[in-house]
Amino acid sequence: MSSHFKKASNFNIEGDTHIYAKNYNHYSERPPKSSIEKLREHVAAGALHNSAERYDAPKCHPETRVAVQKEVVSWICDGDSDDQPKDIMWVTGPAGSGKTAIMGSVANICQGKGILGATHFFSSFSGSANRRSKHCLVPTLAYQFVQHKAMTQVAARILSAVEDNPVIFEQNLEVQLDQLILEPLRACQDRPPLPEWPKVILIDGLDECEAEQYHDTTRSDISPRSKEEDQTEILSVLKKAASDSDFPFRIVIASRPEHAIQSFFTEVAHSVTRKLFLDEKYNPDADMKLFLESKFAIVRRRCHLPSSWPREDGDSWKDLARILTNC
């Protein structure tokens, strides 16, 4: 039988109830958490591009949005050869223009090429509150660096930073960026990035990041923090990272062209940003045609229809309704 006094020393028992002991460790006491466990508690796991939560997230249909994907991946891989190299790409466009689908597909392409460093997909519709907040952004990026097989030396520095400053997760984004990402990278600056190091960080849905409140929101004498303030704070630390000579990654940020975000890229980060606006240049009508043709081909095969189907006359739609009812 295990003793309650296992590993105890310098103790004595007086009478029936009074026990005095030094170095007393109860046998059921849990060991202290490791640095990786502490970091994991502040990670938005659902924000990773390949998370279970994003399994049904929009993805580019094969052969659609090819031009956009090629342009983004080409910039990631070879942007240094541009006449005026930029460190940040802003992918923007109105709602429904396919930004999240494009970012998901680009993430998969980059992972296949071994150049994906980290991702964070914000979502205001997510059941996970940490995907709607800035709070887990930096720890989520740092965690992915720790997991990257080519960045073991940086990983050790990140975990050491967590151990040295346990309250880092309650500090502002700039302090988190410095201690969890920039300082670990600087500590390895005498070891230049190897060819197998990743090249890019992808941030999607920035406009869906909501405000984090630090005060009692019922108080009338304190104005609640706006989501635009949090989004601008995120952009500020990402610009700081991109402008640091020891930061070897490109950053792709996707969002709607909300006023605060657009103002930041236009007025503050113009010199380091390449803008990619999803408009008719990328031929969304042709993408839609490809998508529909693919779906029609599935229906033809499934329902044994001739290759001439669907016809351009209206009867094809009546046929489709009847066929789908019977298939």
Side-chain angles (χ1 to χ4, degrees), residues 233-290:
E233 183 183 359
I234 290 171
L235 288 171
S236 296
V237 298
L238 292 176
K239 178 182 179 292
K240 176 179 179 178
S243 303
D244 193 294
S245 59
D246 293 317
F247 187 81
F249 312 108
R250 297 192 182 283
I251 302 174
V252 181
I253 303 168
S255 77
R256 296 181 189 180
E258 303 289 357
H259 176 71
I261 297 174
Q262 184 159 312
S263 295
F264 184 89
F265 282 119
T266 303
E267 300 169 11
V268 180
H270 176 73
S271 63
V272 297
T273 303
R274 176 177 176 181
K275 178 180 176 181
L276 194 160
F277 190 83
L278 302 178
D279 56 13
E280 63 277 0
K281 171 185 175 183
Y282 296 101
N283 207 353
D285 290 340
D287 279 351
M288 183 57 69
K289 183 179 178 182
L290 282 169

CSV table of all heavy atoms in Angstrom, one decimal, residues 233-290:
chain,number,residue,atom,x,y,z
A,233,GLU,N,-4.4,46.8,-33.4
A,233,GLU,CA,-3.4,46.3,-32.6
A,233,GLU,C,-2.7,45.1,-33.2
A,233,GLU,O,-1.5,44.9,-33.2
A,233,GLU,CB,-3.9,46.0,-31.2
A,233,GLU,CG,-2.8,45.5,-30.2
A,233,GLU,CD,-3.3,45.1,-28.9
A,233,GLU,OE1,-4.5,45.2,-28.6
A,233,GLU,OE2,-2.5,44.7,-28.0
A,234,ILE,N,-3.5,44.2,-33.7
A,234,ILE,CA,-3.0,43.0,-34.4
A,234,ILE,C,-2.1,43.4,-35.6
A,234,ILE,O,-1.0,42.9,-35.8
A,234,ILE,CB,-4.1,42.1,-34.8
A,234,ILE,CG1,-4.8,41.4,-33.6
A,234,ILE,CG2,-3.6,41.0,-35.8
A,234,ILE,CD1,-6.1,40.7,-34.0
A,235,LEU,N,-2.7,44.3,-36.4
A,235,LEU,CA,-1.9,44.7,-37.6
A,235,LEU,C,-0.6,45.4,-37.2
A,235,LEU,O,0.4,45.2,-37.9
A,235,LEU,CB,-2.8,45.7,-38.4
A,235,LEU,CG,-3.9,45.0,-39.2
A,235,LEU,CD1,-4.8,46.1,-39.8
A,235,LEU,CD2,-3.4,44.1,-40.3
A,236,SER,N,-0.6,46.1,-36.1
A,236,SER,CA,0.6,46.8,-35.7
A,236,SER,C,1.7,45.8,-35.3
A,236,SER,O,2.9,46.0,-35.6
A,236,SER,CB,0.3,47.7,-34.5
A,236,SER,OG,-0.6,48.8,-34.9
A,237,VAL,N,1.3,44.8,-34.6
A,237,VAL,CA,2.4,43.8,-34.2
A,237,VAL,C,2.8,43.0,-35.4
A,237,VAL,O,4.0,42.6,-35.4
A,237,VAL,CB,1.9,42.9,-33.0
A,237,VAL,CG1,1.6,43.7,-31.8
A,237,VAL,CG2,0.7,42.0,-33.4
A,238,LEU,N,1.9,42.7,-36.3
A,238,LEU,CA,2.3,41.9,-37.5
A,238,LEU,C,3.3,42.8,-38.4
A,238,LEU,O,4.3,42.3,-38.9
A,238,LEU,CB,1.1,41.5,-38.3
A,238,LEU,CG,0.2,40.5,-37.6
A,238,LEU,CD1,-1.0,40.2,-38.5
A,238,LEU,CD2,1.0,39.2,-37.4
A,239,LYS,N,3.0,44.1,-38.5
A,239,LYS,CA,3.9,45.0,-39.2
A,239,LYS,C,5.3,45.0,-38.5
A,239,LYS,O,6.3,45.0,-39.2
A,239,LYS,CB,3.3,46.4,-39.3
A,239,LYS,CG,4.2,47.4,-40.0
A,239,LYS,CD,3.6,48.7,-40.1
A,239,LYS,CE,4.6,49.7,-40.7
A,239,LYS,NZ,5.8,50.0,-40.0
A,240,LYS,N,5.3,45.1,-37.2
A,240,LYS,CA,6.5,45.1,-36.4
A,240,LYS,C,7.3,43.9,-36.7
A,240,LYS,O,8.6,43.9,-36.9
A,240,LYS,CB,6.3,45.2,-34.9
A,240,LYS,CG,7.5,45.2,-34.1
A,240,LYS,CD,7.2,45.3,-32.6
A,240,LYS,CE,8.6,45.2,-31.8
A,240,LYS,NZ,8.3,45.4,-30.4
A,241,ALA,N,6.7,42.7,-36.7
A,241,ALA,CA,7.4,41.5,-37.0
A,241,ALA,C,7.9,41.5,-38.4
A,241,ALA,O,9.1,41.2,-38.6
A,241,ALA,CB,6.4,40.3,-36.8
A,242,ALA,N,7.1,41.9,-39.4
A,242,ALA,CA,7.5,41.8,-40.8
A,242,ALA,C,8.7,42.8,-41.0
A,242,ALA,O,9.5,42.5,-41.9
A,242,ALA,CB,6.4,42.2,-41.7
A,243,SER,N,8.8,43.8,-40.2
A,243,SER,CA,9.8,44.8,-40.4
A,243,SER,C,11.1,44.5,-39.7
A,243,SER,O,12.1,45.2,-39.8
A,243,SER,CB,9.4,46.2,-40.0
A,243,SER,OG,8.2,46.6,-40.6
A,244,ASP,N,11.1,43.4,-38.9
A,244,ASP,CA,12.3,43.0,-38.1
A,244,ASP,C,13.2,42.2,-39.0
A,244,ASP,O,12.8,41.2,-39.6
A,244,ASP,CB,11.8,42.2,-36.9
A,244,ASP,CG,13.0,42.1,-35.9
A,244,ASP,OD1,13.9,41.4,-36.2
A,244,ASP,OD2,12.9,42.6,-34.8
A,245,SER,N,14.5,42.5,-39.0
A,245,SER,CA,15.4,41.8,-39.9
A,245,SER,C,15.6,40.4,-39.5
A,245,SER,O,16.1,39.6,-40.3
A,245,SER,CB,16.8,42.6,-39.9
A,245,SER,OG,17.3,42.6,-38.5
A,246,ASP,N,15.3,40.0,-38.2
A,246,ASP,CA,15.5,38.6,-37.8
A,246,ASP,C,14.2,37.8,-38.0
A,246,ASP,O,14.2,36.6,-37.6
A,246,ASP,CB,15.9,38.6,-36.3
A,246,ASP,CG,17.3,39.2,-36.1
A,246,ASP,OD1,18.2,38.9,-36.9
A,246,ASP,OD2,17.4,40.0,-35.1
A,247,PHE,N,13.2,38.4,-38.6
A,247,PHE,CA,11.9,37.7,-38.8
A,247,PHE,C,11.9,37.2,-40.3
A,247,PHE,O,11.8,38.0,-41.2
A,247,PHE,CB,10.8,38.7,-38.6
A,247,PHE,CG,9.4,38.0,-38.6
A,247,PHE,CD1,8.9,37.3,-37.5
A,247,PHE,CD2,8.6,38.1,-39.8
A,247,PHE,CE1,7.6,36.7,-37.6
A,247,PHE,CE2,7.4,37.5,-39.8
A,247,PHE,CZ,6.9,36.8,-38.7
A,248,PRO,N,12.1,35.9,-40.5
A,248,PRO,CA,12.3,35.4,-41.9
A,248,PRO,C,11.0,35.1,-42.7
A,248,PRO,O,11.1,34.5,-43.8
A,248,PRO,CB,13.1,34.2,-41.6
A,248,PRO,CG,12.5,33.6,-40.3
A,248,PRO,CD,12.2,34.8,-39.5
A,249,PHE,N,9.9,35.4,-42.2
A,249,PHE,CA,8.6,35.0,-42.8
A,249,PHE,C,7.9,36.1,-43.5
A,249,PHE,O,7.9,37.3,-43.1
A,249,PHE,CB,7.7,34.4,-41.8
A,249,PHE,CG,8.3,33.4,-40.8
A,249,PHE,CD1,8.6,33.7,-39.5
A,249,PHE,CD2,8.7,32.1,-41.3
A,249,PHE,CE1,9.2,32.8,-38.7
A,249,PHE,CE2,9.3,31.2,-40.5
A,249,PHE,CZ,9.6,31.6,-39.1
A,250,ARG,N,7.2,35.7,-44.6
A,250,ARG,CA,6.3,36.6,-45.2
A,250,ARG,C,4.9,36.4,-44.5
A,250,ARG,O,4.7,35.4,-43.9
A,250,ARG,CB,6.1,36.3,-46.7
A,250,ARG,CG,7.4,36.5,-47.5
A,250,ARG,CD,7.1,36.5,-49.0
A,250,ARG,NE,8.3,36.7,-49.8
A,250,ARG,CZ,8.9,37.8,-49.9
A,250,ARG,NH1,8.4,38.9,-49.4
A,250,ARG,NH2,10.0,37.9,-50.6
A,251,ILE,N,4.1,37.4,-44.6
A,251,ILE,CA,2.8,37.4,-43.9
A,251,ILE,C,1.7,37.7,-44.9
A,251,ILE,O,1.8,38.7,-45.6
A,251,ILE,CB,2.7,38.4,-42.7
A,251,ILE,CG1,3.8,38.1,-41.7
A,251,ILE,CG2,1.3,38.3,-42.1
A,251,ILE,CD1,3.8,39.2,-40.6
A,252,VAL,N,0.7,36.8,-45.0
A,252,VAL,CA,-0.4,37.0,-45.9
A,252,VAL,C,-1.6,37.2,-44.9
A,252,VAL,O,-1.9,36.3,-44.1
A,252,VAL,CB,-0.7,35.8,-46.8
A,252,VAL,CG1,-1.9,36.1,-47.7
A,252,VAL,CG2,0.5,35.6,-47.7
A,253,ILE,N,-2.3,38.3,-45.1
A,253,ILE,CA,-3.5,38.7,-44.3
A,253,ILE,C,-4.7,38.8,-45.2
A,253,ILE,O,-4.6,39.6,-46.2
A,253,ILE,CB,-3.3,40.0,-43.5
A,253,ILE,CG1,-2.0,39.9,-42.6
A,253,ILE,CG2,-4.5,40.3,-42.7
A,253,ILE,CD1,-1.6,41.2,-42.0
A,254,ALA,N,-5.8,38.1,-44.9
A,254,ALA,CA,-7.0,38.2,-45.7
A,254,ALA,C,-8.1,38.8,-44.8
A,254,ALA,O,-8.3,38.5,-43.7
A,254,ALA,CB,-7.4,36.9,-46.2
A,255,SER,N,-8.8,39.8,-45.4
A,255,SER,CA,-10.0,40.4,-44.7
A,255,SER,C,-10.8,41.2,-45.7
A,255,SER,O,-10.4,41.5,-46.8
A,255,SER,CB,-9.4,41.4,-43.6
A,255,SER,OG,-9.0,42.6,-44.2
A,256,ARG,N,-12.0,41.5,-45.2
A,256,ARG,CA,-12.8,42.5,-46.0
A,256,ARG,C,-12.1,43.9,-45.9
A,256,ARG,O,-11.4,44.1,-45.0
A,256,ARG,CB,-14.2,42.6,-45.4
A,256,ARG,CG,-15.0,41.3,-45.5
A,256,ARG,CD,-16.4,41.5,-44.9
A,256,ARG,NE,-17.1,40.2,-44.8
A,256,ARG,CZ,-18.4,40.1,-44.4
A,256,ARG,NH1,-19.0,41.2,-43.9
A,256,ARG,NH2,-19.0,38.9,-44.3
A,257,PRO,N,-12.4,44.7,-46.8
A,257,PRO,CA,-11.8,46.1,-46.8
A,257,PRO,C,-12.5,47.0,-45.9
A,257,PRO,O,-13.0,48.1,-46.2
A,257,PRO,CB,-12.0,46.5,-48.3
A,257,PRO,CG,-13.2,45.9,-48.8
A,257,PRO,CD,-13.2,44.5,-48.1
A,258,GLU,N,-12.6,46.6,-44.6
A,258,GLU,CA,-13.2,47.5,-43.6
A,258,GLU,C,-12.4,48.7,-43.4
A,258,GLU,O,-11.1,48.7,-43.6
A,258,GLU,CB,-13.3,46.7,-42.2
A,258,GLU,CG,-14.1,45.4,-42.3
A,258,GLU,CD,-15.6,45.6,-42.5
A,258,GLU,OE1,-16.0,46.8,-42.5
A,258,GLU,OE2,-16.3,44.6,-42.6
A,259,HIS,N,-13.0,49.8,-43.0
A,259,HIS,CA,-12.3,51.1,-43.0
A,259,HIS,C,-11.1,51.1,-42.1
A,259,HIS,O,-10.0,51.6,-42.6
A,259,HIS,CB,-13.3,52.2,-42.4
A,259,HIS,CG,-12.7,53.5,-42.3
A,259,HIS,ND1,-12.4,54.3,-43.4
A,259,HIS,CD2,-12.3,54.2,-41.2
A,259,HIS,CE1,-11.8,55.4,-43.0
A,259,HIS,NE2,-11.7,55.4,-41.7
A,260,ALA,N,-11.1,50.6,-40.9
A,260,ALA,CA,-9.9,50.6,-40.1
A,260,ALA,C,-8.8,49.8,-40.6
A,260,ALA,O,-7.6,50.3,-40.6
A,260,ALA,CB,-10.2,50.1,-38.7
A,261,ILE,N,-9.1,48.7,-41.2
A,261,ILE,CA,-8.0,47.8,-41.8
A,261,ILE,C,-7.5,48.5,-43.1
A,261,ILE,O,-6.3,48.5,-43.3
A,261,ILE,CB,-8.6,46.4,-42.1
A,261,ILE,CG1,-9.1,45.8,-40.8
A,261,ILE,CG2,-7.6,45.6,-42.9
A,261,ILE,CD1,-9.8,44.4,-41.0
A,262,GLN,N,-8.4,49.0,-43.9
A,262,GLN,CA,-7.9,49.7,-45.1
A,262,GLN,C,-7.1,50.9,-44.8
A,262,GLN,O,-6.0,51.1,-45.5
A,262,GLN,CB,-9.1,50.1,-46.0
A,262,GLN,CG,-8.7,50.7,-47.3
A,262,GLN,CD,-9.8,50.6,-48.3
A,262,GLN,OE1,-10.4,49.5,-48.5
A,262,GLN,NE2,-10.1,51.7,-49.0
A,263,SER,N,-7.4,51.6,-43.8
A,263,SER,CA,-6.7,52.8,-43.4
A,263,SER,C,-5.3,52.4,-42.9
A,263,SER,O,-4.3,53.1,-43.2
A,263,SER,CB,-7.4,53.6,-42.3
A,263,SER,OG,-8.6,54.1,-42.8
A,264,PHE,N,-5.2,51.3,-42.2
A,264,PHE,CA,-3.9,50.9,-41.7
A,264,PHE,C,-3.0,50.6,-42.9
A,264,PHE,O,-1.8,51.0,-42.9
A,264,PHE,CB,-4.0,49.7,-40.8
A,264,PHE,CG,-2.7,49.2,-40.2
A,264,PHE,CD1,-2.3,49.8,-39.0
A,264,PHE,CD2,-1.9,48.3,-40.8
A,264,PHE,CE1,-1.1,49.4,-38.4
A,264,PHE,CE2,-0.7,47.9,-40.2
A,264,PHE,CZ,-0.3,48.5,-39.1
A,265,PHE,N,-3.5,49.8,-43.8
A,265,PHE,CA,-2.6,49.4,-44.9
A,265,PHE,C,-2.3,50.5,-45.8
A,265,PHE,O,-1.2,50.6,-46.4
A,265,PHE,CB,-3.3,48.2,-45.7
A,265,PHE,CG,-3.2,46.9,-45.1
A,265,PHE,CD1,-4.3,46.2,-44.7
A,265,PHE,CD2,-2.0,46.3,-44.8
A,265,PHE,CE1,-4.2,45.0,-44.1
A,265,PHE,CE2,-1.9,45.1,-44.2
A,265,PHE,CZ,-3.0,44.4,-43.9
A,266,THR,N,-3.2,51.5,-45.9
A,266,THR,CA,-3.0,52.6,-46.8
A,266,THR,C,-2.0,53.7,-46.2
A,266,THR,O,-1.2,54.2,-46.9
A,266,THR,CB,-4.3,53.3,-47.2
A,266,THR,OG1,-5.1,52.3,-47.8
A,266,THR,CG2,-4.1,54.5,-48.1
A,267,GLU,N,-2.2,53.9,-44.9
A,267,GLU,CA,-1.5,55.0,-44.2
A,267,GLU,C,-0.3,54.6,-43.4
A,267,GLU,O,0.6,55.4,-43.3
A,267,GLU,CB,-2.5,55.8,-43.4
A,267,GLU,CG,-3.7,56.4,-44.1
A,267,GLU,CD,-4.8,56.9,-43.2
A,267,GLU,OE1,-4.6,57.0,-42.0
A,267,GLU,OE2,-5.9,57.2,-43.7
A,268,VAL,N,-0.4,53.4,-42.8
A,268,VAL,CA,0.7,53.0,-41.9
A,268,VAL,C,1.6,52.0,-42.5
A,268,VAL,O,2.9,52.1,-42.3
A,268,VAL,CB,0.1,52.5,-40.6
A,268,VAL,CG1,1.2,52.0,-39.6
A,268,VAL,CG2,-0.9,53.5,-39.9
A,269,ALA,N,1.1,51.0,-43.2
A,269,ALA,CA,1.9,49.9,-43.7
A,269,ALA,C,2.1,49.9,-45.2
A,269,ALA,O,2.4,48.8,-45.7
A,269,ALA,CB,1.3,48.6,-43.2
A,270,HIS,N,1.8,51.0,-45.8
A,270,HIS,CA,1.9,51.0,-47.3
A,270,HIS,C,3.2,50.6,-47.8
A,270,HIS,O,3.3,49.8,-48.8
A,270,HIS,CB,1.6,52.5,-47.8
A,270,HIS,CG,1.7,52.6,-49.3
A,270,HIS,ND1,0.7,52.1,-50.1
A,270,HIS,CD2,2.6,53.2,-50.0
A,270,HIS,CE1,1.1,52.4,-51.4
A,270,HIS,NE2,2.2,53.0,-51.3
A,271,SER,N,4.3,51.0,-47.2
A,271,SER,CA,5.6,50.7,-47.7
A,271,SER,C,6.0,49.2,-47.6
A,271,SER,O,6.9,48.8,-48.4
A,271,SER,CB,6.7,51.5,-47.0
A,271,SER,OG,6.7,51.1,-45.6
A,272,VAL,N,5.3,48.4,-46.8
A,272,VAL,CA,5.7,47.0,-46.7
A,272,VAL,C,4.6,46.1,-47.2
A,272,VAL,O,4.7,44.9,-47.0
A,272,VAL,CB,6.0,46.7,-45.2
A,272,VAL,CG1,7.2,47.5,-44.7
A,272,VAL,CG2,4.8,46.9,-44.3
A,273,THR,N,3.5,46.6,-47.8
A,273,THR,CA,2.4,45.8,-48.1
A,273,THR,C,2.1,45.8,-49.6
A,273,THR,O,2.2,46.8,-50.3
A,273,THR,CB,1.1,46.4,-47.4
A,273,THR,OG1,1.3,46.4,-46.0
A,273,THR,CG2,-0.1,45.5,-47.7
A,274,ARG,N,1.8,44.6,-50.1
A,274,ARG,CA,1.3,44.4,-51.4
A,274,ARG,C,-0.2,44.0,-51.3
A,274,ARG,O,-0.5,43.1,-50.6
A,274,ARG,CB,2.1,43.3,-52.1
A,274,ARG,CG,1.5,43.0,-53.5
A,274,ARG,CD,2.3,41.9,-54.2
A,274,ARG,NE,1.8,41.5,-55.5
A,274,ARG,CZ,2.3,40.6,-56.3
A,274,ARG,NH1,3.3,40.0,-56.0
A,274,ARG,NH2,1.7,40.4,-57.5
A,275,LYS,N,-1.0,44.8,-52.0
A,275,LYS,CA,-2.4,44.6,-52.0
A,275,LYS,C,-2.9,43.7,-53.2
A,275,LYS,O,-2.5,44.0,-54.3
A,275,LYS,CB,-3.1,45.9,-52.0
A,275,LYS,CG,-4.7,45.8,-52.0
A,275,LYS,CD,-5.3,47.2,-52.0
A,275,LYS,CE,-6.8,47.2,-52.1
A,275,LYS,NZ,-7.4,48.6,-52.1
A,276,LEU,N,-3.7,42.7,-52.9
A,276,LEU,CA,-4.3,41.9,-53.9
A,276,LEU,C,-5.8,42.0,-53.7
A,276,LEU,O,-6.4,41.4,-52.8
A,276,LEU,CB,-3.8,40.5,-53.8
A,276,LEU,CG,-4.1,39.5,-55.0
A,276,LEU,CD1,-3.1,38.3,-54.9
A,276,LEU,CD2,-5.5,39.0,-55.0
A,277,PHE,N,-6.5,42.7,-54.6
A,277,PHE,CA,-7.9,42.9,-54.5
A,277,PHE,C,-8.6,41.9,-55.4
A,277,PHE,O,-8.3,41.8,-56.6
A,277,PHE,CB,-8.3,44.3,-54.8
A,277,PHE,CG,-9.8,44.6,-54.5
A,277,PHE,CD1,-10.1,45.0,-53.2
A,277,PHE,CD2,-10.8,44.5,-55.5
A,277,PHE,CE1,-11.5,45.3,-52.9
A,277,PHE,CE2,-12.1,44.8,-55.2
A,277,PHE,CZ,-12.4,45.2,-53.9
A,278,LEU,N,-9.6,41.2,-54.8
A,278,LEU,CA,-10.3,40.1,-55.6
A,278,LEU,C,-11.4,40.8,-56.4
A,278,LEU,O,-12.5,41.0,-55.9
A,278,LEU,CB,-10.9,39.1,-54.7
A,278,LEU,CG,-9.8,38.4,-53.8
A,278,LEU,CD1,-10.5,37.3,-52.9
A,278,LEU,CD2,-8.8,37.7,-54.7
A,279,ASP,N,-11.1,41.1,-57.7
A,279,ASP,CA,-12.1,41.7,-58.5
A,279,ASP,C,-12.2,41.0,-59.8
A,279,ASP,O,-11.8,39.8,-59.9
A,279,ASP,CB,-11.8,43.2,-58.8
A,279,ASP,CG,-10.4,43.4,-59.4
A,279,ASP,OD1,-9.8,42.3,-59.8
A,279,ASP,OD2,-9.9,44.5,-59.4
A,280,GLU,N,-12.8,41.6,-60.8
A,280,GLU,CA,-13.0,40.9,-62.1
A,280,GLU,C,-11.8,40.5,-62.8
A,280,GLU,O,-11.8,39.6,-63.7
A,280,GLU,CB,-13.9,41.8,-63.0
A,280,GLU,CG,-13.2,43.1,-63.5
A,280,GLU,CD,-13.4,44.2,-62.4
A,280,GLU,OE1,-14.0,43.9,-61.4
A,280,GLU,OE2,-12.9,45.3,-62.7
A,281,LYS,N,-10.6,41.0,-62.4
A,281,LYS,CA,-9.3,40.6,-62.9
A,281,LYS,C,-9.1,39.1,-62.8
A,281,LYS,O,-8.5,38.5,-63.7
A,281,LYS,CB,-8.2,41.4,-62.2
A,281,LYS,CG,-6.8,40.9,-62.6
A,281,LYS,CD,-5.8,41.6,-61.7
A,281,LYS,CE,-4.4,41.0,-62.0
A,281,LYS,NZ,-3.3,41.6,-61.1
A,282,TYR,N,-9.6,38.5,-61.7
A,282,TYR,CA,-9.5,37.1,-61.5
A,282,TYR,C,-10.6,36.3,-62.0
A,282,TYR,O,-10.8,35.1,-61.7
A,282,TYR,CB,-9.2,36.9,-60.0
A,282,TYR,CG,-7.9,37.5,-59.6
A,282,TYR,CD1,-7.9,38.7,-58.9
A,282,TYR,CD2,-6.7,37.0,-59.9
A,282,TYR,CE1,-6.8,39.4,-58.5
A,282,TYR,CE2,-5.5,37.6,-59.6
A,282,TYR,CZ,-5.5,38.8,-58.9
A,282,TYR,OH,-4.4,39.4,-58.5
A,283,ASN,N,-11.5,36.9,-62.8
A,283,ASN,CA,-12.5,36.2,-63.6
A,283,ASN,C,-13.4,35.3,-62.7
A,283,ASN,O,-13.5,34.1,-63.0
A,283,ASN,CB,-11.9,35.4,-64.7
A,283,ASN,CG,-12.8,35.2,-65.9
A,283,ASN,OD1,-14.0,35.6,-65.8
A,283,ASN,ND2,-12.3,34.7,-66.9
A,284,PRO,N,-14.1,35.8,-61.7
A,284,PRO,CA,-15.0,35.0,-60.9
A,284,PRO,C,-16.1,34.3,-61.7
A,284,PRO,O,-16.6,33.3,-61.3
A,284,PRO,CB,-15.5,36.0,-59.8
A,284,PRO,CG,-15.4,37.3,-60.5
A,284,PRO,CD,-14.2,37.2,-61.3
A,285,ASP,N,-16.5,35.0,-62.8
A,285,ASP,CA,-17.6,34.4,-63.6
A,285,ASP,C,-17.1,33.1,-64.3
A,285,ASP,O,-17.8,32.1,-64.3
A,285,ASP,CB,-18.0,35.4,-64.7
A,285,ASP,CG,-18.8,36.5,-64.1
A,285,ASP,OD1,-19.3,36.4,-63.0
A,285,ASP,OD2,-18.9,37.6,-64.8
A,286,ALA,N,-15.9,33.1,-64.7
A,286,ALA,CA,-15.3,31.9,-65.3
A,286,ALA,C,-15.2,30.8,-64.2
A,286,ALA,O,-15.4,29.6,-64.5
A,286,ALA,CB,-13.9,32.2,-65.9
A,287,ASP,N,-14.8,31.2,-63.0
A,287,ASP,CA,-14.7,30.2,-61.9
A,287,ASP,C,-16.1,29.6,-61.6
A,287,ASP,O,-16.2,28.4,-61.4
A,287,ASP,CB,-14.2,30.9,-60.6
A,287,ASP,CG,-12.7,31.1,-60.6
A,287,ASP,OD1,-12.0,30.6,-61.5
A,287,ASP,OD2,-12.2,31.8,-59.7
A,288,MET,N,-17.1,30.4,-61.6
A,288,MET,CA,-18.4,29.9,-61.4
A,288,MET,C,-18.9,28.9,-62.5
A,288,MET,O,-19.5,27.9,-62.3
A,288,MET,CB,-19.4,31.1,-61.3
A,288,MET,CG,-20.9,30.6,-60.9
A,288,MET,SD,-21.0,29.6,-59.4
A,288,MET,CE,-20.6,30.9,-58.2
A,289,LYS,N,-18.5,29.3,-63.7
A,289,LYS,CA,-18.8,28.4,-64.9
A,289,LYS,C,-18.1,27.1,-64.7
A,289,LYS,O,-18.8,26.0,-64.9
A,289,LYS,CB,-18.4,29.1,-66.2
A,289,LYS,CG,-18.8,28.2,-67.4
A,289,LYS,CD,-18.3,28.9,-68.7
A,289,LYS,CE,-18.7,28.1,-69.9
A,289,LYS,NZ,-18.2,28.7,-71.2
A,290,LEU,N,-16.9,27.1,-64.3
A,290,LEU,CA,-16.1,25.8,-64.1
A,290,LEU,C,-16.8,25.0,-63.0
A,290,LEU,O,-16.9,23.8,-63.1
A,290,LEU,CB,-14.7,26.1,-63.7
A,290,LEU,CG,-13.7,26.4,-64.9
A,290,LEU,CD1,-12.4,27.0,-64.3
A,290,LEU,CD2,-13.5,25.2,-65.7
